[in-house]
Amino acid sequence: MSDRYGSDVLAGDWKKPKHGRAVETPAELGAVVEEVETDFVGEIVRIDRDLHTLTLEDRHGKRRTFPLGPGFWLEGKPVILTPPVTRAAPAAPTRTASGSVAVAGVKARVARESRIFVEGRHDAELVEKIWGDDLRIEGVVVEYLGGVDDLADHLVDFRPSRERRVGVLVDHLVKGSKEARIAESIRRSTVGEHVLIVGHPFIDVWQAVKPARLGLEAWPSVPRSVEWKKGICQHMGWPHRDQADIARAWKHILGRVSSFGDLEPALLGRVEELIDFVTEPV
């Protein structure tokens, strides 16, 4: 880091008062603080509202992440760092998150008989965030699919036909996988021509978010012995003890996504392919 912090602070001779009550102070990017327990001094370079954390970077470029709250010194005074003050929302976009032209005042179309099934709750949430406006205008309903193993039963109940097409988005659909075998079996079945199964190549849909949106050059490699999502959280310095922590981590990642430009083409193309399939004129 540069000397803009002040050499006396970074040299470790920052004079702390002997008394004083900590006051709540909004954390601001660029502010220089000290985390008391570790004596780590640095500039605030990142604030994560969802994870309730901040990241400090010292003069040598070393970064550490800490929970927001008490335990910090700012300008020689104890403070309780809180999330920054929320600013007014930006003006409504002229395009939808998927890149389509936004048409104000258009009512959602009556739902088509055709459906899109999406494997995985996180996958479904991501599809809704980016393509939700378009799907409502087109009258396409997206249904959550707990696992590809359940797909055949869903199709038996749904009874696909030329007028009731089904598009399916599957996690990690790669050659030789169980998912690929199930997809091929359905393709060869009597309803195969009315069902389109596509998938992305990622271990998890988290990887469909461009790593740069999280300040990464690439998604980290996680050993096979470690649960992938927990390994990612551990690498990022995020809590990962239980499913609630994983859910918070996903909300944080999803919060970094605002348009199709934040996603990898390998996912974009597959979703657009499904939309085209279920909305194709009969």
Side-chain angles (χ1 to χ4, degrees), residues 107 139 259:
K107 294 183 179 180
S259 76

Side-chain angles (χ1 to χ4, degrees), residues 122 204 206 227-234 240 243 246:
H122 294 175
D204 190 275
W206 290 18
E227 185 179 340
W228 191 84
K229 290 176 181 177
K230 289 187 176 182
I232 294 298
C233 291
Q234 185 175 17
H240 53 281
Q243 189 56 40
I246 300 300

